[in-house]
Amino acid sequence: MSSVIDKDASPALAQAGAKQRSEETSPASTIDGFHLVIEGLKLNGIDTIFGLPGIPITDLTRMAQAEGMRVISFRHEQNAGNAAAAAGFLTQKPGICLTVSAPGFLNGLTALANATTNCFPMILISGSSEREIVDLQQGDYEEMDQLAIARPLCKAAYRVLHAEDIGVGIARAIRSALSGRPGGVYLDLPAKLFAQTLDAEIGRRSLIQVVDPAPRQIPAPDAVHRALDVLKGAKRPLIILGKGAAYARADAQIRAFVERTGIPYLPMSMAKGLLPDTHALSAAAARSYVLAEADVVMLIGARLNWLLSHGKGKTWGAEKGPKQFVQVDISPTEIDSNVAIAAPVIGDIGSCVSALLAGLDPGWPKPPADWTGGIADRRAKNQAKMAATLALRPSPMTFQSALSVIRDQVKARPDAIVVNEGANTLDFARSIVDMYEPRKRIDVGTWGVMGIGMGFAVAAAVVTGKPVIAIEGDSAFGFSGMEVETICRYRLPVCVVVFNNNGVYRGTDINAGGGADVAPTVFVKDARYEKLMEAFGGVGVYATTADQLQAALAEAVASGRPTLVNAIIDETAGTESGRITKLNPLSAAMKK
């Protein structure tokens, strides 16, 4: 039979014939592992990847960008991981960090462990060497059993060996990161996986859209009643808000509960802004007093770890007798971890606080006036003392005078996000810079780990589009400072303020051995950190006075241009280890 089509036949018939011949001769449509990973993430609403390209994931980053995902490439994997963790906290979606194998994976692992400790949802995805070579230890390129190393440091760890399982692997990672107490998850993708192919239709059907990955967990009615009974019997009640409360986005319920009960509250650093720090019931300026004097303490998304002196000892007025604790937490194993909890309320914070609100009697008794009045008096005295200190304009600047400028800028732009790390820089900023909106402050968190600054700042700018003010100690900035190039490359609205006092804690230590080397805690004198930002096209400012800092900060926030202000602080300012000096061991000889 002739395959020649009559020249008088209709064009439609000719096109149909051509299509049939094409379908008969072309191979079946396929999809590879690269695209299954990308489509699996996109199917679950994940549109941004933080990472660093290299073998074997370079093409994955290119393809993800080509498919419409935003790929933010860093200079070091740990900073990319920190960005993913912060993105998870700010969005309630797992932040994705993508790294190469072995050394790159290990660089990202610190951020993964930190995310798990801080309860930030994050997925570390790393390429890896081939299983058959790794398991026989035959010396593959960057050979390492990454799954075994990651498993103890995160909530869950999975490896995908076959393309048809990519959808399941991504779904399990997402659900593990978000469900219950959020945290870090590791997903291992060996190099061979990416090139595997499937029929396109079969491959796409293998992908999973995760339904309700963090389902509500409703508290037991009797637990709610017990908690309210304990609170009702309190003479000096106190509420402590932790970053779990901020993550939960139960802002309206928490505010309503505080205001309806009239119970004073103390926000942990990343819970600042859930209610404005200027709220009449805030006890932040009377922290020592309320911790020691309260008789019933309600924890909402806060843990009695070292940041709260484990709920014991002098900080908590142990000499005054035992306290009763009410604890609202999504994890039942958190209860009784340090002290006895009289009334545990287990469930997601939004559901728990809503249930507690619903259980309040119309005539709920407000705390006694001598308690709330005593707090108000101490708060007023401490704030007046602080105001006098902040009003000073010494030269060189102190931590307080420099932070008073940032305090005023945040008040003018309450939507700005504050990132904070350091020793003294962190301690002073926590108490000086008031926050007015929830989830606008992110800092070193539970571990107090240095190096989160630039990663957190990049993530905050990328996922919110808001101006970011990164308040950095000069030592802390050194951990991730090269990422100012990343800030400039993506033209992010980040202003980095480096508090430069020439060293770790301060710049005045001397070499006790009398040698030529400077002391271990001392940096190069009068370092010009602002030149680093200028090198990549950003704005650098050298500020020696509060007025210069104010002008630079206001311009940076208004313009949105990447900016670094080198704020020169008195090198004699600062104390050893900041407010946790007691955790820094001294030799027996020094104690005498």
Side-chain angles (χ1 to χ4, degrees):
M1 177 183 292
S2 173
S3 63
V4 178
I5 297 177
D6 188 331
K7 65 180 180 179
D8 295 325
S10 70
L13 182 60
Q15 290 175 4
K19 181 179 179 182
Q20 179 180 353
R21 289 194 302 276
S22 175
E23 290 175 347
E24 290 173 350
T25 58
S26 64
S29 177
T30 60
I31 188 170
D32 61 21
F34 288 110
H35 289 89
L36 285 169
V37 171
I38 294 164
E39 292 192 18
L41 293 173
K42 291 175 66 177
L43 182 64
N44 285 284
I46 295 172
D47 57 12
T48 303
I49 292 173
F50 304 95
L52 201 157
I55 296 172
I57 49 89
T58 307
D59 277 349
L60 180 60
T61 62
R62 294 188 180 115
M63 293 176 189
Q65 190 177 61
E67 293 294 325
M69 298 189 77
R70 193 165 191 195
V71 180
I72 306 298
S73 182
F74 282 74
R75 304 302 292 263
H76 193 282
E77 292 91 350
Q78 184 172 320
N79 303 322
N82 285 326
F89 173 75
L90 292 169
T91 66
Q92 285 192 317
K93 296 190 297 186
I96 305 299
C97 176
L98 183 63
T99 81
V100 302
S101 51
F105 153 78
L106 290 174
N107 287 341
L109 193 58
T110 298
L112 182 69
N114 192 47
T116 304
T117 299
N118 278 294
C119 308
F120 296 162
M122 169 193 169
I123 301 173
L124 174 64
I125 301 176
S126 296
S128 63
S129 298
E130 305 312 329
R131 294 306 315 152
E132 63 272 21
I133 301 178
V134 172
D135 289 345
L136 284 173
Q137 300 179 21
Q138 293 179 314
D140 200 7
Y141 171 72
E142 295 187 347
E143 176 182 292
M144 180 178 288
D145 190 350
Q146 296 168 197
L147 188 76
I149 294 170
R151 186 171 279 125
L153 299 173
C154 56
K155 278 189 71 180
Y158 306 104
R159 177 182 291 127
V160 181
L161 296 177
H162 305 291
E164 58 265 33
D165 294 326
I166 287 174
V168 172
I170 291 174
R172 297 206 70 189
I174 290 172
R175 191 172 293 279
S176 296
L178 293 175
S179 63
R181 176 170 283 174
V185 175
Y186 176 60
L187 188 59
D188 189 274
L189 304 181
K192 282 185 180 179
L193 178 73
F194 296 114
Q196 292 178 24
T197 59
L198 291 175
D199 173 85
E201 182 61 27
I202 293 173
R204 291 191 172 96
R205 284 203 304 266
S206 72
L207 299 178
I208 296 173
Q209 186 172 13
V210 180
V211 177
D212 198 12
R216 294 175 63 202
Q217 296 185 30
I218 312 299
D222 60 333
V224 173
H225 295 152
R226 181 169 52 238
L228 291 174
D229 286 343
V230 172
L231 284 172
K232 187 177 289 188
K235 300 298 183 186
R236 298 180 303 280
L238 174 68
I239 293 172
I240 297 181
L241 302 174
K243 65 176 176 289
Y247 174 81
R249 295 177 179 261
D251 312 339
Q253 299 98 309
I254 290 171
R255 181 165 189 158
F257 186 80
V258 169
E259 292 180 341
R260 282 187 58 187
T261 61
I263 298 175
Y265 71 92
L266 179 66
M268 301 300 286
S269 63
M270 288 180 63
K272 286 165 64 70
L274 265 175
L275 288 83
D277 282 339
T278 52
H279 195 283
L281 289 172
S282 173
R287 175 188 171 102
S288 296
Y289 174 73
V290 294
L291 289 180
E293 297 293 334
D295 62 347
V296 173
V297 179
M298 182 181 194
L299 303 159
I300 302 180
R303 293 176 283 185
L304 285 173
N305 55 24
W306 71 276
L307 291 165
L308 284 169
S309 301
H310 308 285
K312 305 172 185 176
K314 184 178 179 181
T315 297
W316 288 88
E319 70 282 1
K320 302 176 188 296
K323 301 180 188 295
Q324 285 188 299
F325 287 90
V326 176
Q327 186 164 9
V328 178
D329 203 283
I330 200 166
S331 174
T333 58
E334 183 62 33
I335 307 305
D336 305 325
S337 58
N338 275 297
V339 298
I341 303 299
V345 183
I346 306 303
D348 69 277
I349 287 172
S351 296
C352 289
V353 178
S354 294
L356 289 161
L357 263 172
L360 291 177
D361 298 331
W364 181 270
K366 295 295 176 69
D370 60 346
W371 173 237
T372 55
I375 294 172
D377 288 346
R378 284 166 174 80
R379 182 176 64 230
K381 290 177 183 177
N382 290 338
Q383 287 175 338
K385 184 178 179 181
M386 176 65 75
T389 302
L390 297 181
L392 299 175
R393 288 293 180 262
S395 181
M397 290 184 284
T398 60
F399 287 99
Q400 292 92 336
S401 64
L403 285 166
S404 71
V405 172
I406 298 176
R407 172 191 172 103
D408 291 343
Q409 182 61 53
V410 172
K411 184 176 181 180
R413 283 295 303 268
D415 62 328
I417 297 176
V418 170
V419 174
N420 190 199
E421 64 174 335
N424 295 280
T425 307
L426 174 74
D427 293 336
F428 285 116
R430 226 173 359 211
S431 58
I432 291 173
V433 180
D434 288 333
M435 306 306 298
Y436 303 88
E437 298 180 6
R439 293 168 297 280
K440 293 297 188 289
R441 178 187 166 85
I442 46 178
D443 62 30
V444 299
T446 304
W447 265 354
V449 65
M450 296 294 100
I452 53 86
M454 297 303 96
F456 278 18
V458 168
V462 166
V463 303
T464 71
K466 299 293 185 180
V468 177
I469 302 170
I471 309 170
E472 300 280 310
D474 50 359
S475 176
F477 176 71
F479 285 79
S480 62
M482 192 62 186
E483 300 301 344
V484 299
E485 187 273 333
T486 306
I487 293 169
C488 290
R489 190 178 354 134
Y490 294 102
R491 300 184 293 277
L492 299 176
V494 175
C495 179
V496 181
V497 183
V498 177
F499 280 53
N500 181 2
N501 67 345
N502 294 333
V504 181
Y505 312 132
R506 56 182 174 264
T508 55
D509 281 3
I510 60 173
N511 182 338
D517 291 342
V518 299
T521 57
V522 172
F523 297 152
V524 169
K525 300 289 185 180
D526 198 28
R528 299 301 296 266
Y529 292 106
E530 79 281 3
K531 299 295 184 183
L532 184 61
M533 183 65 89
E534 291 176 357
F536 301 112
V539 177
V541 179
Y542 183 79
T544 60
T545 69
D547 288 342
Q548 291 172 346
L549 174 58
Q550 190 279 329
L553 184 57
E555 171 62 23
V557 172
S559 69
R561 292 188 62 189
T563 302
L564 190 151
V565 183
N566 185 6
I568 306 305
I569 306 297
D570 185 348
E571 72 171 0
T572 66
T575 58
E576 184 85 5
S577 303
R579 292 183 181 173
I580 55 173
T581 301
K582 63 183 180 182
L583 299 182
N584 198 12
L586 298 175
S587 73
M590 292 179 66
K591 291 178 182 178
K592 293 179 180 178

